Amino acid sequence: MNILIINGPNLNLLGKREPSIYGSQTFEDYFEELSQNYKSLNLSYYQSNHEGDILDKIHSVGFDIDGIVLNAGAFTHTSLAIADAISAVQTHVVEVHISNVFKREAVRHHSFISPVCLGSISGFGLDSYRLAIEAIIKSNK
Ligand code: DQA
């Protein structure tokens, strides 16, 4: 099973960025752990700070792979274009947030992408990504 994790803007700074909210582990470290724990999956990882690059990536894999785990970062709250890209492709997309966005500022409570995703997982730290992978595995059974 092929699953791609896409991280959006500022998530390249995990480990250094506001550790009280996002923790102190880098995503590269966490991804290594995940890959070890899911050796039977073909897991891959892509990060971009640019909305258009995220659209291009969703388009290029979205008709072929078994699922996308998407943390769109702040684009979650602004991007109709990413929502449209998710609607356009065939694969299941699970929305992920490290922090519990509903405990935070009101501007983070609205997501353009929730209505077009298989589901949303928010607030479990980096473990949110593992939970999303589990959801994709079950949805492909
Ligand atoms: C985030 C939450 C967003 O509101 C924020 O803009 C991020 C990270 C999270 O993973 O908790 O960049 O998606």
Side-chain angles (χ1 to χ4, degrees):
M1 193 175 290
N2 294 305
I3 298 177
L4 173 65
I5 298 174
I6 300 179
N7 272 343
N10 301 307
L11 292 164
N12 54 310
L13 295 180
L14 286 177
K16 293 188 222 165
R17 173 194 185 194
E18 298 180 273
S20 60
I21 299 175
Y22 299 111
S24 51
Q25 191 172 17
T26 66
F27 198 80
E28 287 69 21
D29 267 8
Y30 177 70
F31 183 73
E32 182 55 35
E33 277 175 31
L34 260 186
S35 305
Q36 290 302 319
N37 290 332
Y38 286 100
K39 284 198 171 124
S40 60
L41 298 180
N42 180 21
L43 273 184
S44 48
Y45 166 55
Y46 175 79
Q47 191 277 329
S48 176
N49 292 318
H50 306 282
E51 188 175 12
D53 290 342
I54 294 170
L55 296 176
D56 289 344
K57 184 53 89 175
I58 293 170
H59 296 172
S60 74
V61 302
F63 294 90
D64 301 317
I65 61 172
D66 302 296
I68 297 174
V69 175
L70 174 61
N71 186 344
F75 291 149
T76 305
H77 318 297
T78 62
S79 182
L80 181 58
I82 292 180
D84 283 349
I86 295 168
S87 297
V89 297
Q90 276 168 359
T91 194
H92 288 309
V93 180
V94 175
E95 174 184 7
V96 155
H97 300 287
I98 298 164
S99 62
N100 181 345
V101 286
F102 300 102
K103 274 190 185 167
R104 301 181 64 192
E105 309 94 299
V107 71
R108 296 183 204 274
H109 298 179
H110 177 258
S111 165
F112 276 93
I113 68 173
S114 295
V116 293
C117 284
L118 181 66
S120 303
I121 296 167
S122 168
F124 296 96
L126 290 174
D127 201 38
S128 294
Y129 292 87
R130 183 189 61 80
L131 294 167
I133 288 168
E134 289 293 332
I136 289 172
I137 293 170
K138 289 210 172 99
S139 75
N140 279 283
K141 271 188 182 154

